[in-house]
Amino acid sequence: MNTSSEIAYELANSTPEASTEEALSYNPEFFSAQGQRIGECLRIFADERLLSDHAIDAARLQAPVDTVQDNPLSPQERHLAAWQVMQYLTDPDMSPTEKEAEYMCNLWVDFKMIDKEASYYGQRLEEYGTKESKAALDALAGNVEIKEADWHNIRIGADVPRIVGLSRHVNVESIVARSALLLDRIATTTTHDSKLLKDVLEIETVYAPLLDILGLHASEAILRHHAEKARLMAAGREDIRQRYDEMSEYIESARESGLVEDVITDVVGVDFEENNYSFIIDNEETPYGSKSYYSAVRSTSKSGVPFRFISRIKSPGSATDKSVHHNEGKMPQDIYAGTVVVDDVDQMVTRFKEVYANIKALEKAGVCELVSAPSKDFPVHIKGTQEYMDAVKVGLKDEENGPKFVDEIDEGKPIPGTVKEPFQVLKVTFNVKRGDKVLPVEIQFQTIMDRNSSRLGGASHLTYKAENGTKSGLPGNVPGNSVDMLHANHRKWALLEKGGEEVLYSEEDQRIRKQKIVDVEALQQLLVQAAFYPEELEQAT
């Protein structure tokens, strides 16, 4: 490839060719604005140790690079896109070194690999062969009009082993960056067509599950919010749009009321002055008007029990969908939800007693009220194996006026290829009040082993809810192996420890990348060719 200095010389002594014969769809100003939005989102939702400045710049330029590689577009459009990329690569203020430019090209190659896997849901629909899957394929191909019900019903599960396999052969930061492009597309489009539904399905089957596996839950939440919002808005029902606006206003009011902080301090018992806490995302506004709240706190209770408290505020998109399609219009009880994580069941019961006592004290003061979730008869719910429930009940029985509870036996589901693991949890639901503001809250209590199982093990949503989608005649989740999911999660932590840009590809990775898409050297040559010799693109492969 030409060196950066050679490219800079050519750029300085030439100008992009103007087209007088055709109207071009490529708009450099649009892609510059889109790149700025993507960069801003990544700086909000991604750890700075995970994404270096060059990784973010690669993310900002991914759409122009896609254009250069998109053969159906005219050579003139690909030429303008390559020019925009080359201007960055040779900008004295940016000054990427040869190694840094090669790193960015590696990410751009990753994006094409990710794209290929993201569209795999179409092959799954074809192979599923049901009447519903064939109808979904027709809608996605634009052969038939997408009906109102389709926007809610066409849902496909994630093929977890396949996407975990993808994560082995691409950079972690590539997954995060490509997710940001999908977020921008669905959050800014005003066209409710098959292209939007395809983007939503890619988010739900690949990007959001991968972010979940990687432990990037704030990024996952904002992505799922906009995907669900897109479904709700595209359905075209005025009552749903009105419900979404009401839910957005309600949740924004809850954010600003200080009630979340009341729960963390007065109910859970965290003292921010004395404890180690880190708000991963604290009510920061995205370029799309949406917000996310996700926090992680390490603390020690008054009785000396060390614990973590992980919490989030439900997004308006998720809350509206749950209210309209699952709760018969009622407000979800988990608008604000958190999980107390401890070492063992004894510590868990101790922490529950402390939190429950705080709730009862606040109830007497008129600022808190124990309430049952819509599907439960009592505010306290225990779920797990008989042995687990017995251990929890033994710990609670010595309480005077102790809680009445719903117990639900769960021995785990026998899912082929996975370890049979039960979902085990102790939870309590209540409302917190301040003036005319009311915040529905759900707090769960889990041991660290049960927490890990519920995130990446046999009790995780990606495994446990394998039947999702099948009820409507569409493919459900293909369960993942917990060992493989943990391996993918550990890759992220390894990258954080190294400070980014340090992941090396094995010979096998390079072979797969070259076989499936294009190698880095070929992409570099294509960018130079498109920038300076666009007339040769007609013959380019």
Side-chain angles (χ1 to χ4, degrees):
M1 179 184 179
N2 306 48
T3 65
S4 293
S5 58
E6 289 172 338
I7 295 171
Y9 176 82
E10 292 191 62
L11 282 171
N13 290 276
S14 58
T15 56
E17 299 177 6
S19 172
T20 57
E21 299 178 357
E22 56 184 330
L24 301 180
S25 61
Y26 185 82
N27 184 332
E29 289 76 20
F30 168 82
F31 285 114
S32 291
Q34 181 188 59
Q36 289 178 351
R37 294 192 301 268
I38 288 172
E40 184 179 342
C41 252
L42 289 174
R43 292 189 188 281
I44 293 173
F45 289 98
D47 192 302
E48 62 183 8
R49 296 171 297 161
L50 184 66
L51 289 177
S52 67
D53 288 341
H54 293 106
I56 290 179
D57 288 337
R60 291 175 58 193
L61 288 165
Q62 59 187 307
V65 173
D66 288 347
T67 301
V68 176
Q69 299 178 83
D70 193 351
N71 289 330
L73 293 178
S74 70
Q76 179 68 15
E77 289 173 299
R78 297 168 70 193
H79 166 61
L80 291 175
W83 193 270
Q84 191 172 13
V85 176
M86 285 301 182
Q87 281 186 312
Y88 164 81
L89 290 176
T90 57
D91 188 329
D93 294 330
M94 304 298 181
S95 301
T97 65
E98 296 291 335
K99 181 179 179 182
E100 290 163 346
E102 183 177 358
Y103 166 74
M104 294 172 68
C105 282
N106 267 294
L107 300 190
W108 290 330
V109 170
D110 281 352
F111 296 153
K112 302 306 288 184
M113 286 189 66
I114 295 170
D115 281 353
K116 187 178 181 68
E117 290 302 311
S119 62
Y120 179 66
Y121 67 85
Q123 184 176 331
R124 292 187 66 203
L125 282 172
E126 287 183 10
E127 293 172 352
Y128 209 61
T130 63
K131 175 181 66 176
E132 292 82 1
S133 66
K134 292 175 182 177
L137 281 169
D138 281 340
L140 290 166
N143 298 332
V144 296
E145 180 184 358
I146 302 176
K147 301 183 180 67
E148 171 196 310
D150 292 338
W151 286 103
H152 175 67
N153 293 334
I154 298 179
R155 296 177 187 266
I156 304 168
D159 186 331
V160 180
R162 192 176 181 95
I163 62 175
V164 169
L166 168 67
S167 74
R168 296 195 191 102
H169 303 296
V170 299
N171 274 309
V172 171
E173 53 271 49
S174 302
I175 296 167
V176 179
R178 204 59 169 176
S179 299
L181 176 65
L182 267 289
L183 171 61
D184 189 87
R185 289 211 305 239
I186 65 168
T188 58
T189 186
T190 56
T191 306
H192 300 147
D193 56 9
S194 60
K195 185 177 179 181
L196 173 62
L197 184 54
K198 289 176 182 177
D199 282 346
V200 168
L201 288 174
E202 288 187 9
I203 285 171
E204 294 171 345
T205 60
V206 174
Y207 294 102
L210 270 176
L211 292 174
D212 183 14
I213 291 167
L214 292 171
L216 297 169
H217 302 304
S219 301
E220 177 206 2
I222 203 71
L223 205 58
R224 288 193 184 278
H225 158 64
H226 279 283
E228 203 56 63
K229 179 182 178 182
R231 285 183 176 277
L232 292 166
M233 296 299 105
R237 282 178 49 184
E238 188 57 36
D239 59 327
I240 290 181
R241 295 188 181 204
Q242 182 177 350
R243 184 58 173 157
Y244 176 86
D245 290 340
E246 293 170 352
M247 199 67 77
S248 296
E249 183 178 349
Y250 180 88
I251 290 174
E252 183 59 28
S253 175
R255 291 179 193 277
E256 297 176 349
S257 66
L259 288 172
V260 167
E261 289 75 13
D262 287 350
V263 173
I264 295 174
T265 54
D266 299 341
V267 177
V268 181
V270 173
D271 186 339
F272 289 121
E273 297 297 324
E274 299 179 2
N275 293 290
N276 172 23
Y277 69 97
S278 56
F279 279 97
I280 301 172
I281 300 296
D282 183 10
N283 210 25
E284 293 193 54
E285 186 164 349
T286 71
Y288 318 111
S290 52
K291 294 182 180 180
S292 180
Y293 178 103
Y294 188 89
S295 71
V297 182
R298 289 188 180 275
S299 189
T300 302
S301 71
K302 291 181 180 179
S303 62
V305 175
F307 68 94
R308 281 191 301 147
F309 183 60
I310 304 159
S311 65
R312 60 96 180 113
I313 292 178
K314 205 171 191 68
S315 73
S318 175
T320 304
D321 176 66
K322 191 169 185 177
S323 172
V324 171
H325 296 118
H326 304 284
N327 273 18
E328 299 179 345
K330 298 175 183 175
M331 179 73 67
Q333 185 54 46
D334 60 343
I335 293 295
Y336 177 61
T339 302
V340 174
V341 183
V342 295
D343 288 340
D344 55 43
V345 171
D346 289 340
Q347 289 186 349
M348 186 184 75
V349 171
T350 299
R351 277 269 59 211
F352 173 84
K353 289 179 179 179
E354 293 169 341
V355 169
Y356 189 78
N358 290 338
I359 295 171
K360 295 295 287 184
L362 292 169
E363 195 169 36
K364 289 181 180 179
V367 295
C368 200
E369 177 188 16
L370 285 161
V371 296
S372 302
S375 61
K376 302 293 184 292
D377 294 327
F378 300 108
V380 178
H381 177 211
I382 309 169
K383 184 174 183 177
T385 64
Q386 188 64 59
E387 181 183 5
Y388 171 85
M389 291 195 297
D390 290 343
V392 173
K393 292 175 186 178
V394 167
L396 295 178
K397 72 177 183 180
D398 60 348
E399 287 288 286
E400 292 185 13
N401 301 315
K404 293 182 178 180
F405 48 78
V406 179
D407 54 5
E408 183 179 349
I409 294 178
D410 187 330
E411 299 289 350
K413 293 184 178 180
I415 300 172
T418 66
V419 177
K420 183 178 175 182
E421 296 181 69
F423 182 78
Q424 301 194 137
V425 69
L426 169 61
K427 65 174 72 173
V428 60
T429 50
F430 56 97
N431 291 338
V432 178
K433 307 173 186 177
R434 178 185 284 184
D436 61 345
K437 308 294 183 187
V438 178
L439 178 66
V441 181
E442 176 186 280
I443 294 183
Q444 300 188 3
F445 300 79
Q446 286 186 304
T447 66
I448 184 65
M449 288 185 64
D450 287 334
R451 170 71 179 177
N452 290 340
S453 175
S454 67
R455 299 307 308 184
L456 296 174
S460 68
H461 278 207
L462 292 174
T463 298
Y464 205 72
K465 296 190 175 182
E467 77 280 2
N468 281 7
T470 58
K471 294 177 182 177
S472 57
L474 300 177
N477 285 347
V478 179
N481 180 285
S482 57
V483 174
D484 292 338
M485 288 194 284
L486 283 168
H487 176 76
N489 183 269
H490 289 163
R491 277 198 66 203
K492 178 200 71 174
W493 290 107
L495 181 62
L496 288 174
E497 290 175 3
K498 293 176 180 177
E501 298 191 23
E502 294 292 333
V503 174
L504 301 177
Y505 296 106
S506 67
E507 290 184 8
E508 176 67 6
D509 290 332
Q510 292 287 18
R511 185 189 66 78
I512 290 173
R513 289 151 67 79
K514 195 167 184 175
Q515 179 186 45
K516 287 194 173 184
I517 307 293
V518 64
D519 62 11
V520 170
E521 183 178 353
L523 174 58
Q524 290 172 328
Q525 293 292 349
L526 180 61
L527 288 170
V528 172
Q529 181 187 36
F532 304 112
Y533 314 108
E535 67 280 358
E536 298 179 10
L537 287 175
E538 295 286 6
Q539 290 78 39
T541 58

